[in-house]
Amino acid sequence: MRTLRVVGLDEDGKSIVLEDPERGERFVLPADERLRAAARGDLTRLGQIEVETESQMRPREIQARIRAGESVDQVAAIAGIPAHRVERFAYPVLLERSRIADLAQRAHPVREDGPDVQTLGEVVAHSFGLRGQEYVDVSWDSWRGEDGRWVVQLHWTAGRSDNRAHWAFHPGAHGGTVTALDDAAVDLMDPNPNRVRSLRAVTHLARAALDVEGRPLAEPEILVREERPVVEEPIVVDGELAEDQPSAKRKKNHPIVPSWEDVLLGVRSRG
C-alpha cells in the first residue's frame, strides 16, 4: 500500500488531489460524505454509509424492523448484507426490547375486578409452580406492534411442545399494566388452573329434559315380586324312583330389578 499526500482541491471543488511522492503520480479522491466521516473519525457514520451503499435498506429502516420483532439474521437476509453490519444498528434496539420485557414482568395483570396486586412475573411463576414446571427455563421478549403498543412474549417448552404467551404492555404508574392477548396468557394468569367445574346429577338433567310442561315427575316405584318355590315332581320308572334323579331343588327368590328406562320414565314393573 502506497502513501499519498494531499495536494489540494480539484478545479471542480468537489474532489481532492493526491500525489505519490515517490513516483509523482496524482490521484483524484471525491470529497464525499464518506471521506468527511473518515476525517472526523466517525465510525458510526461510516458504517451507515456502507450499509446505504451496499443495500437499499437504510439504517433507520433496519432499526424499525428490529423494533417490530425481526431478528438480525432476518433483516440481514432481506437487506442482502452480512449480519455483522446489521448488528451495529440493531444492538441499541435489542437493548430497548430487553428493557421493555423486564419492565412488563413488574407490571400488574388486569383482571375483571381491576389490576392485580401481584406482578406479572409473580403470577406466572406461581402458575408454573402449580403446574409442576420449571420457571427458570423461560425467555422473555418484546416488540412494538403496528399500532404503537408494546407486545410482551413468554416462551417456554413443556416436553416436546413449544409454547408462547403474549400480553399487551401499558407503561404507567406503579409499574404499569399488562393485558392478556391469547388463551395461553389467560391460562397462566388463572390462579387455579386445576379447578373442577360443578356438575348436576344425571337424573336431574334427565328429568328436566323429559318434563316438558315444567312439572316435577313422580318418584318411580319399584315393585318386587316374590315367586313360590318350585318342587320338581319325582320321575317314576317301573313303579320305582329313578336312582340318578337329582334331588328337588328350590329356586331362590330374586327381586325383579326394573330397567333404567322404567326408572327414568316412572313405569311400574309388572310380574
Side-chain angles (χ1 to χ4, degrees):
M1 182 180 296
R2 290 183 290 177
T3 302
L4 305 178
R5 67 181 183 87
V6 178
V7 176
L9 288 175
D10 194 9
E11 296 178 356
D12 58 3
K14 298 180 180 180
S15 302
I16 298 177
V17 179
L18 305 177
E19 183 182 36
D20 184 352
E22 296 181 358
R23 300 182 180 181
E25 297 180 6
R26 291 195 172 188
F27 304 89
V28 177
L29 179 65
D32 54 10
E33 182 65 22
R34 178 179 296 183
L35 179 60
R36 288 191 289 269
R40 296 192 306 267
D42 191 348
L43 299 180
T44 301
R45 180 54 184 159
L46 279 175
Q48 293 177 351
I49 296 173
E50 185 177 3
V51 171
E52 294 173 358
T53 303
E54 298 183 5
S55 173
Q56 296 180 354
M57 187 178 299
R58 300 180 64 84
R60 181 173 297 180
E61 184 180 355
I62 291 176
Q63 292 185 337
R65 286 180 172 271
I66 296 295
R67 187 174 287 106
E70 295 184 11
S71 65
V72 172
D73 293 335
Q74 290 174 334
V75 175
I78 296 174
I81 57 178
H84 70 273
R85 295 183 179 176
V86 177
E87 290 177 351
R88 66 182 69 178
F89 308 111
Y91 181 73
V93 181
L94 292 175
L95 288 180
E96 181 185 15
R97 287 172 52 177
S98 178
R99 183 178 63 86
I100 294 297
D102 292 338
L103 292 176
Q105 296 178 57
R106 296 193 289 268
H108 301 274
V110 176
R111 301 185 182 276
E112 295 180 356
D113 55 350
D116 198 330
V117 177
Q118 293 183 318
T119 63
L120 176 61
E122 294 172 343
V123 172
V124 172
H126 179 64
S127 296
F128 268 68
L130 293 178
R131 298 164 186 259
Q133 299 175 351
E134 294 292 337
Y135 183 63
V136 294
D137 299 329
V138 301
S139 61
W140 290 87
D141 193 8
S142 69
W143 59 83
R144 178 175 289 177
E146 296 180 357
D147 55 357
R149 66 178 180 176
W150 283 96
V151 177
V152 182
Q153 173 185 271
L154 172 64
H155 173 251
W156 77 98
T157 56
R160 296 184 178 180
S161 62
D162 197 51
N163 307 282
R164 289 177 174 83
H166 301 89
W167 293 267
F169 174 51
H170 309 281
H174 307 290
T177 59
V178 287
T179 306
L181 296 179
D182 49 30
D183 293 339
V186 173
D187 292 340
L188 288 175
M189 290 171 56
D190 190 346
N192 186 14
N194 296 324
R195 69 183 186 277
V196 179
R197 297 180 179 178
S198 60
L199 299 176
R200 292 188 298 170
V202 177
T203 55
H204 294 170
L205 296 176
R207 291 184 181 184
L210 293 174
D211 190 11
V212 180
E213 299 179 357
R215 294 173 299 179
L217 295 177
E219 293 290 338
E221 297 182 5
I222 301 176
L223 300 181
V224 179
R225 182 182 65 182
E226 295 184 359
E227 295 184 356
R228 296 180 180 179
V230 179
V231 180
E232 296 182 358
E233 296 294 335
I235 301 175
V236 180
V237 180
D238 296 334
E240 297 181 358
L241 293 175
E243 295 180 357
D244 57 347
Q245 176 186 352
S247 59
K249 298 181 180 179
R250 295 185 178 183
K251 294 184 179 180
K252 297 182 179 180
N253 295 333
H254 295 282
I256 299 177
V257 180
S259 65
W260 168 248
E261 295 180 354
D262 294 340
V263 176
L264 187 63
L265 300 177
V267 179
R268 296 176 180 269
S269 300
R270 297 179 180 179

